[in-house]
Tab-separated table of all heavy atoms in Angstrom:
chain	number	residue	atom	x	y	z
A	299	CYS	N	3.990	0.392	7.252
A	299	CYS	CA	4.549	1.556	6.566
A	299	CYS	C	4.621	2.747	7.551
A	299	CYS	O	4.005	2.702	8.604
A	299	CYS	CB	3.743	1.970	5.380
A	299	CYS	SG	3.796	0.883	3.961
A	300	PHE	N	5.382	3.748	7.187
A	300	PHE	CA	5.398	5.074	7.802
A	300	PHE	C	6.142	5.102	9.149
A	300	PHE	O	5.981	6.068	9.884
A	300	PHE	CB	4.005	5.594	7.981
A	300	PHE	CG	3.304	5.805	6.655
A	300	PHE	CD1	2.257	4.915	6.288
A	300	PHE	CD2	3.629	6.866	5.784
A	300	PHE	CE1	1.558	5.085	5.066
A	300	PHE	CE2	2.960	7.024	4.586
A	300	PHE	CZ	1.938	6.092	4.215
A	301	SER	N	6.919	4.097	9.499
A	301	SER	CA	7.700	4.201	10.716
A	301	SER	C	8.652	5.402	10.673
A	301	SER	O	9.131	5.787	9.636
A	301	SER	CB	8.539	2.926	10.925
A	301	SER	OG	9.414	3.068	12.011
A	302	ALA	N	8.875	6.013	11.802
A	302	ALA	CA	9.824	7.111	11.869
A	302	ALA	C	11.242	6.642	11.658
A	302	ALA	O	12.020	7.351	11.057
A	302	ALA	CB	9.676	7.853	13.225
A	303	ALA	N	11.544	5.408	12.120
A	303	ALA	CA	12.838	4.821	11.873
A	303	ALA	C	12.860	4.205	10.503
A	303	ALA	O	11.910	3.605	10.084
A	303	ALA	CB	13.096	3.773	12.926
A	304	PHE	N	14.009	4.336	9.816
A	304	PHE	CA	14.089	3.834	8.421
A	304	PHE	C	14.088	2.286	8.472
A	304	PHE	O	14.996	1.700	9.018
A	304	PHE	CB	15.317	4.355	7.758
A	304	PHE	CG	15.341	4.087	6.276
A	304	PHE	CD1	14.380	4.573	5.429
A	304	PHE	CD2	16.389	3.328	5.734
A	304	PHE	CE1	14.383	4.327	4.042
A	304	PHE	CE2	16.402	3.050	4.351
A	304	PHE	CZ	15.407	3.566	3.524
A	305	LYS	N	13.061	1.700	7.853
A	305	LYS	CA	12.886	0.243	7.905
A	305	LYS	C	12.608	-0.357	6.504
A	305	LYS	O	12.069	-1.466	6.430
A	305	LYS	CB	11.730	-0.120	8.856
A	305	LYS	CG	11.917	0.225	10.290
A	305	LYS	CD	10.652	-0.095	11.095
A	305	LYS	CE	10.868	0.169	12.565
A	305	LYS	NZ	11.758	-0.834	13.169
A	306	LEU	N	12.947	0.324	5.477
A	306	LEU	CA	12.571	-0.145	4.149
A	306	LEU	C	13.022	-1.594	3.902
A	306	LEU	O	14.155	-1.924	4.066
A	306	LEU	CB	13.218	0.769	3.081
A	306	LEU	CG	12.950	0.419	1.623
A	306	LEU	CD1	11.460	0.580	1.303
A	306	LEU	CD2	13.771	1.212	0.703
A	307	ARG	N	12.020	-2.434	3.530
A	307	ARG	CA	12.300	-3.783	3.074
A	307	ARG	C	11.351	-4.060	1.880
A	307	ARG	O	10.162	-4.047	2.043
A	307	ARG	CB	12.086	-4.816	4.194
A	307	ARG	CG	13.108	-4.759	5.285
A	307	ARG	CD	13.127	-6.006	6.179
A	307	ARG	NE	11.906	-6.133	6.898
A	307	ARG	CZ	11.714	-5.685	8.129
A	307	ARG	NH1	12.641	-4.960	8.731
A	307	ARG	NH2	10.545	-5.862	8.764
A	308	THR	N	11.948	-4.354	0.752
A	308	THR	CA	11.172	-4.525	-0.489
A	308	THR	C	11.935	-5.466	-1.431
A	308	THR	O	13.136	-5.624	-1.366
A	308	THR	CB	10.955	-3.142	-1.152
A	308	THR	OG1	10.291	-3.387	-2.422
A	308	THR	CG2	12.280	-2.463	-1.411
A	309	VAL	N	11.136	-6.117	-2.319
A	309	VAL	CA	11.795	-6.929	-3.342
A	309	VAL	C	12.112	-6.136	-4.565
A	309	VAL	O	12.756	-6.620	-5.521
A	309	VAL	CB	10.872	-8.146	-3.725
A	309	VAL	CG1	10.670	-9.049	-2.537
A	309	VAL	CG2	9.526	-7.629	-4.277
A	310	ILE	N	11.707	-4.855	-4.635
A	310	ILE	CA	11.846	-4.082	-5.867
A	310	ILE	C	13.147	-3.287	-5.828
A	310	ILE	O	13.165	-2.114	-5.418
A	310	ILE	CB	10.634	-3.132	-6.050
A	310	ILE	CG1	9.301	-3.899	-5.875
A	310	ILE	CG2	10.679	-2.443	-7.410
A	310	ILE	CD1	8.069	-3.016	-6.068
A	311	TRP	N	14.223	-3.947	-6.283
A	311	TRP	CA	15.522	-3.315	-6.336
A	311	TRP	C	16.104	-3.314	-7.769
A	311	TRP	O	17.207	-2.817	-7.980
A	311	TRP	CB	16.505	-4.015	-5.374
A	311	TRP	CG	16.165	-3.789	-3.940
A	311	TRP	CD1	15.710	-4.693	-3.047
A	311	TRP	CD2	16.325	-2.545	-3.234
A	311	TRP	NE1	15.517	-4.122	-1.806
A	311	TRP	CE2	15.906	-2.836	-1.893
A	311	TRP	CE3	16.774	-1.257	-3.574
A	311	TRP	CZ2	15.900	-1.829	-0.932
A	311	TRP	CZ3	16.753	-0.289	-2.594
A	311	TRP	CH2	16.338	-0.565	-1.274
A	312	ASP	N	15.332	-3.820	-8.715
A	312	ASP	CA	15.800	-3.886	-10.075
A	312	ASP	C	16.087	-2.507	-10.712
A	312	ASP	O	16.860	-2.421	-11.696
A	312	ASP	CB	14.833	-4.621	-10.941
A	312	ASP	CG	14.620	-6.072	-10.501
A	312	ASP	OD1	15.437	-6.938	-10.875
A	312	ASP	OD2	13.702	-6.321	-9.668
A	313	PHE	N	15.472	-1.508	-10.197
A	313	PHE	CA	15.600	-0.165	-10.792
A	313	PHE	C	16.472	0.800	-9.964
A	313	PHE	O	16.487	1.996	-10.232
A	313	PHE	CB	14.209	0.463	-11.018
A	313	PHE	CG	13.247	-0.547	-11.628
A	313	PHE	CD1	12.319	-1.207	-10.830
A	313	PHE	CD2	13.292	-0.821	-12.971
A	313	PHE	CE1	11.436	-2.091	-11.396
A	313	PHE	CE2	12.414	-1.762	-13.549
A	313	PHE	CZ	11.492	-2.372	-12.774
A	314	ALA	N	17.145	0.254	-8.988
A	314	ALA	CA	17.980	1.055	-8.088
A	314	ALA	C	18.998	1.887	-8.846
A	314	ALA	O	19.664	1.403	-9.771
A	314	ALA	CB	18.716	0.145	-7.091
A	315	GLY	N	19.105	3.151	-8.474
A	315	GLY	CA	20.080	4.069	-9.139
A	315	GLY	C	19.582	4.749	-10.337
A	315	GLY	O	20.220	5.656	-10.889
A	316	GLU	N	18.420	4.348	-10.898
A	316	GLU	CA	17.890	4.962	-12.102
A	316	GLU	C	17.350	6.410	-11.771
A	316	GLU	O	16.906	6.668	-10.669
A	316	GLU	CB	16.751	4.142	-12.681
A	316	GLU	CG	17.205	2.795	-13.272
A	316	GLU	CD	16.079	2.065	-13.991
A	316	GLU	OE1	14.994	2.642	-14.092
A	316	GLU	OE2	16.287	0.945	-14.449
A	317	ALA	N	17.499	7.251	-12.762
A	317	ALA	CA	17.004	8.644	-12.590
A	317	ALA	C	15.456	8.622	-12.485
A	317	ALA	O	14.799	7.878	-13.205
A	317	ALA	CB	17.445	9.476	-13.781
A	318	ILE	N	14.959	9.447	-11.589
A	318	ILE	CA	13.516	9.557	-11.407
A	318	ILE	C	13.010	10.625	-12.406
A	318	ILE	O	13.531	11.739	-12.456
A	318	ILE	CB	13.163	9.983	-9.983
A	318	ILE	CG1	13.698	8.920	-8.980
A	318	ILE	CG2	11.689	10.236	-9.799
A	318	ILE	CD1	13.603	9.342	-7.547
A	319	PRO	N	11.939	10.316	-13.175
A	319	PRO	CA	11.414	11.300	-14.129
A	319	PRO	C	11.028	12.602	-13.423
A	319	PRO	O	10.538	12.568	-12.286
A	319	PRO	CB	10.240	10.580	-14.720
A	319	PRO	CG	10.545	9.123	-14.566
A	319	PRO	CD	11.290	9.001	-13.282
A	320	ASP	N	11.215	13.682	-14.137
A	320	ASP	CA	10.876	14.987	-13.565
A	320	ASP	C	9.420	15.116	-13.118
A	320	ASP	O	9.161	15.744	-12.098
A	320	ASP	CB	11.159	16.105	-14.629
A	320	ASP	CG	12.633	16.295	-14.857
A	320	ASP	OD1	13.435	15.825	-13.998
A	320	ASP	OD2	12.991	16.894	-15.916
A	321	GLY	N	8.518	14.451	-13.836
A	321	GLY	CA	7.130	14.507	-13.459
A	321	GLY	C	6.873	13.930	-12.103
A	321	GLY	O	6.041	14.403	-11.327
A	322	LEU	N	7.563	12.828	-11.773
A	322	LEU	CA	7.390	12.170	-10.447
A	322	LEU	C	8.004	13.038	-9.365
A	322	LEU	O	7.471	13.135	-8.294
A	322	LEU	CB	7.989	10.818	-10.484
A	322	LEU	CG	7.363	9.774	-11.444
A	322	LEU	CD1	7.992	8.380	-11.261
A	322	LEU	CD2	5.852	9.680	-11.220
A	323	LEU	N	9.092	13.669	-9.659
A	323	LEU	CA	9.707	14.592	-8.686
A	323	LEU	C	8.801	15.717	-8.397
A	323	LEU	O	8.670	16.170	-7.236
A	323	LEU	CB	11.087	15.053	-9.184
A	323	LEU	CG	12.197	14.011	-9.327
A	323	LEU	CD1	13.433	14.631	-9.928
A	323	LEU	CD2	12.532	13.419	-7.954
A	324	ALA	N	8.092	16.226	-9.428
A	324	ALA	CA	7.143	17.298	-9.240
A	324	ALA	C	5.959	16.869	-8.345
A	324	ALA	O	5.454	17.636	-7.536
A	324	ALA	CB	6.670	17.833	-10.560
A	325	ASP	N	5.582	15.601	-8.536
A	325	ASP	CA	4.489	15.085	-7.711
A	325	ASP	C	4.897	15.031	-6.210
A	325	ASP	O	4.074	15.273	-5.320
A	325	ASP	CB	4.142	13.654	-8.129
A	325	ASP	CG	3.526	13.606	-9.542
A	325	ASP	OD1	3.005	14.613	-9.991
A	325	ASP	OD2	3.593	12.520	-10.143
A	326	ILE	N	6.175	14.752	-5.962
A	326	ILE	CA	6.673	14.565	-4.621
A	326	ILE	C	6.921	15.890	-3.940
A	326	ILE	O	6.834	15.989	-2.670
A	326	ILE	CB	7.973	13.716	-4.612
A	326	ILE	CG1	7.634	12.281	-5.147
A	326	ILE	CG2	8.642	13.658	-3.265
A	326	ILE	CD1	8.870	11.486	-5.477
Side-chain angles (χ1 to χ4, degrees):
C299 289
F300 299 107
S301 172
F304 190 60
K305 294 177 177 289
L306 180 65
R307 290 197 294 271
T308 175
V309 296
I310 310 179
W311 291 109
D312 298 273
F313 313 101
E316 291 186 5
I318 299 170
D320 290 342
L322 296 185
L323 293 175
D325 294 338
I326 295 167

